[in-house]
Amino acid sequence: MTAIASVTAPTAAAAPTVSLTPVFVRLKLSLLKNGLKGSSKRKAVWISSLVFALVVAFFMTLGLSLLHGHAHAGTVVVLLAAILALGWAFMPLFFPTGDETLDPSRLVMLPLRPRPLVRALLASSLVGIGPLFTLCLAIGSVVAVARGAAGVVAAVVAVPLLLVVCVALARAVATANVRLLSSRKGRDLALLSGLLIAIGAQLANFASQRLFQAGGLTQLEPAEAVVRWLPPATAVGMVDSVSDGDYAVAAAQLALTLVALAALLWFWERSLTGLMVTPDGSTIAAAKPRKDRGDGGVRAFFPAGRTGAVMQRSLRYAVRDPKTKASWASALAIGLIVPVFNALQGTGSVYLSCFGAGMLGVQMYNQFGQDTSAFWMVAQTISSPRDAFVELRARAYALALITVPYTALVTAVTAALLDDWAAFPAGLGMCLALVGSMMCTGSLASAHFAYSIPTDGAFKNVVPGQAGLAWMGIFVGMLVSAVICAPMIALTIYLGATDQQSLTWILLPLGIAWGTLATWAGLRIAAPAVSRKLPEILVAVSKG
């Protein structure tokens, strides 16, 4: 035993320690290389993404470089650095499947220590399109503000600092939320990313218009004075300060950047340690069963019988099903943004509230397709036109439960921003008439143009081969809705053209009655078609 120990001990001591960093960098390169060996579609997407990123980065870097010597160059590049950091912080939450290496839970079973693992993951994270794009913008930013030999030296330090802090921030956020990203809530967040980007684009457009109307980049100087002390924008601010000769300020900004980087790495390591030693929630015993709440709570407000059950099911889809949730959230947000932003810009009208009403009215289309393959359970309960009528009516009730108060709120907010309360009754009446008309055509489209909604893919709303069917239902439905609303539109135009503003209030009760009548007529006409074409609808919605 002693001899064996004497032979084994030197051998173990002499065993070389392999560094994880080059191994992980090679793994990342292998992942990229092997990913391109798959389908030609994936290869084309990756190559086109790379070319697009390089083209955008080239022109942005060139534009930033041309700012050299401009009075507001520091303001622009400091704020740009802050925007880059925000993008790196939130993109892993919105697109968790964009990079397979963002999930460190795949490494928890390996005998790896957290600190070397953090270094290896940080180095491998610097390989990719995102880091290359950020590196180009960082170079352009420091070129815009660097002046003199000291400024060039500071720029050489600032570029890698900015890049490493952004990457470490993304990794720390992804590691801290990895359980969320791999759960259903994480997939819901990814589905809503497109909505948030659309809202952000509208906000950026509105802010830019306001900015140039108010006097240009000078208005951003107070914000820049604060942001230049927030890492990693402090790295770019350091270059600007050194170029201006403020070496004490530059030293403080450099110290802040280094402290922020150290704090991010510490937080990342701590999150990684917790991830490696804490069991996943799916491996823990199920929670105690919930007590039966009886018929109390929210359910007490719904009608009894099939109508109440269908309403609850439809509303649960809007809350729990990712595709339905994304559709509802997009309609609610964009339907509010369009009239409100136009009103803030002084170019709006109360009647633009009809845009929000139309966005929600579209939710009535393809009602059975929203159930996907589970519709066969609903189909078992429809044996007559009466059953189909009750089913469609309950779904229309659930839609109206959200649409009517929302439409009234959007119309009121738009009227308040425009200070045009005289047009509020007519605008609300027109919106309600439009909602009723779209519920009518939506019921008919659900019966005659049903299609399947795929469960996979965040941005796939129609299965292959049914896109024409979907567009036909929506296009024809909108045309018929416009025809149904034609009398209300004609009356509104007539009262406005003849300057009879005192009578426009009549459009509110007329709109309520018109919308209710249109909805009832659509349900009555669609119910026999649903009962008769039930097998065809079941086949159409089950293709996903």
Side-chain angles (χ1 to χ4, degrees):
M1 294 292 294
T2 305
I4 295 175
S6 63
V7 173
T8 306
T11 304
T17 302
V18 179
S19 175
L20 285 179
T21 301
V23 174
F24 272 68
V25 172
R26 289 196 299 269
L27 283 174
K28 182 63 176 288
L29 293 173
S30 298
L31 283 174
L32 293 175
K33 181 180 178 181
N34 294 334
L36 296 178
K37 290 181 179 179
S39 64
S40 57
K41 179 179 179 182
R42 182 172 182 177
K43 184 186 298 184
V45 169
W46 193 88
I47 293 175
S48 60
S49 300
L50 177 61
V51 172
F52 178 76
L54 289 176
V55 170
V56 174
F58 171 77
F59 284 106
M60 289 192 68
T61 304
L62 180 62
L64 290 171
S65 302
L66 293 176
L67 288 176
H68 185 78
H70 193 276
H72 298 290
T75 301
V76 173
V77 297
V78 167
L79 293 178
L80 177 62
I83 294 172
L84 274 176
L86 285 175
W88 275 96
F90 288 104
M91 283 302 149
L93 299 178
F94 292 156
F95 303 104
T97 58
D99 186 357
E100 294 86 349
T101 64
L102 281 176
D103 187 2
S105 62
R106 303 178 183 215
L107 308 172
V108 296
M109 299 302 295
L110 300 177
L112 303 174
R113 294 185 178 275
R115 185 162 298 177
L117 187 58
V118 165
R119 290 196 297 266
L121 288 173
L122 180 61
S124 63
S125 299
L126 296 174
V127 179
I129 299 176
L132 179 60
F133 181 79
T134 304
L135 178 63
C136 294
L137 294 189
I139 293 174
S141 298
V142 297
V143 168
V145 293
R147 297 183 301 277
V152 173
V153 173
V156 172
V157 176
V159 169
L161 266 181
L162 176 61
L163 177 60
V164 172
V165 171
C166 287
V167 173
L169 177 61
R171 281 294 186 173
V173 171
T175 303
N177 296 278
V178 66
R179 296 275 166 80
L180 169 66
L181 298 181
S182 58
S183 66
R184 182 173 64 86
K185 291 183 179 179
R187 292 191 292 271
D188 293 349
L189 188 62
L191 282 170
L192 295 175
S193 61
L195 167 66
L196 297 178
I197 292 173
I199 295 175
Q202 291 288 339
L203 291 173
N205 179 45
F206 176 71
S208 62
Q209 292 182 7
R210 286 287 185 178
L211 175 65
F212 290 107
Q213 289 175 1
L217 295 174
T218 306
Q219 303 298 317
L220 293 177
E221 290 182 354
E224 182 267 344
V226 176
V227 171
R228 68 168 45 238
W229 290 99
L230 301 176
T234 46
V236 180
M238 174 195 66
V239 180
D240 193 27
S241 299
V242 168
S243 300
D244 291 338
D246 297 332
Y247 297 111
V249 173
Q253 291 171 329
L254 176 61
L256 276 176
T257 308
L258 294 174
V259 169
L261 178 59
L264 284 173
L265 294 176
W266 173 82
F267 176 74
W268 183 8
E269 181 182 347
R270 184 177 179 183
S271 301
L272 193 59
T273 303
L275 182 67
M276 299 174 76
V277 300
T278 305
D280 191 359
S282 60
T283 64
I284 302 176
K288 296 180 179 180
R290 294 181 300 174
K291 296 181 179 179
D292 185 12
R293 292 174 292 180
D295 294 329
V298 178
R299 289 181 290 178
F301 295 95
F302 290 96
R306 178 174 188 146
T307 299
V310 174
M311 290 179 66
Q312 292 182 61
R313 184 185 69 219
S314 299
L315 294 175
R316 283 197 182 100
Y317 279 162
V319 174
R320 297 181 181 179
D321 179 64
K323 288 292 180 71
T324 309
K325 181 189 297 186
S327 177
W328 270 99
S330 301
L332 291 170
I334 299 176
L336 177 65
I337 287 173
V338 171
V340 167
F341 273 53
N342 278 277
L344 290 173
Q345 294 174 1
T347 59
S349 168
V350 174
Y351 294 103
L352 273 179
S353 304
C354 292
F355 184 85
M359 290 290 294
L360 289 184
V362 173
Q363 305 303 313
M364 189 65 188
Y365 289 68
N366 197 35
Q367 278 291 311
F368 305 127
Q370 297 174 15
D371 298 348
T372 63
S373 58
F375 178 67
W376 73 270
M377 299 182 67
V378 178
Q380 301 300 315
T381 66
I382 299 177
S383 58
S384 65
R386 174 63 185 174
D387 293 335
F389 175 79
V390 175
E391 176 75 22
L392 284 171
R393 184 184 63 184
R395 292 174 184 245
Y397 282 166
L399 180 62
L401 194 63
I402 298 175
T403 302
V404 173
Y406 170 84
T407 301
L409 176 63
V410 172
T411 309
V413 170
T414 306
L417 292 174
L418 294 171
D419 195 20
D420 189 11
W421 288 104
F424 173 75
L428 182 57
M430 180 60 65
C431 288
L432 295 177
L434 177 61
V435 169
S437 300
M438 297 195 72
M439 284 188 178
C440 168
T441 56
S443 302
L444 295 170
S446 297
H448 297 282
F449 300 101
Y451 58 90
S452 179
I453 300 177
T455 56
D456 61 330
F459 305 103
K460 296 179 181 179
N461 294 315
V462 184
V463 298
Q466 291 187 333
L469 192 66
W471 282 109
M472 180 67 70
I474 295 175
F475 181 72
V476 173
M478 288 185 173
L479 285 180
V480 176
S481 298
V483 172
I484 295 174
C485 283
M488 285 288 299
I489 297 174
L491 179 59
T492 304
I493 295 175
Y494 172 76
L495 292 177
T498 56
D499 199 20
Q500 301 185 49
Q501 298 297 326
S502 60
L503 296 177
T504 55
W505 65 268
I506 199 174
L507 293 171
L508 178 55
L510 281 177
I512 296 174
W514 195 266
T516 304
L517 180 62
T519 302
W520 177 83
L523 295 175
R524 281 294 182 187
I525 298 172
V530 170
S531 178
R532 184 178 64 256
K533 302 180 63 175
L534 194 59
E536 299 176 25
I537 297 174
L538 184 58
V539 171
V541 303
S542 301
K543 289 185 177 181

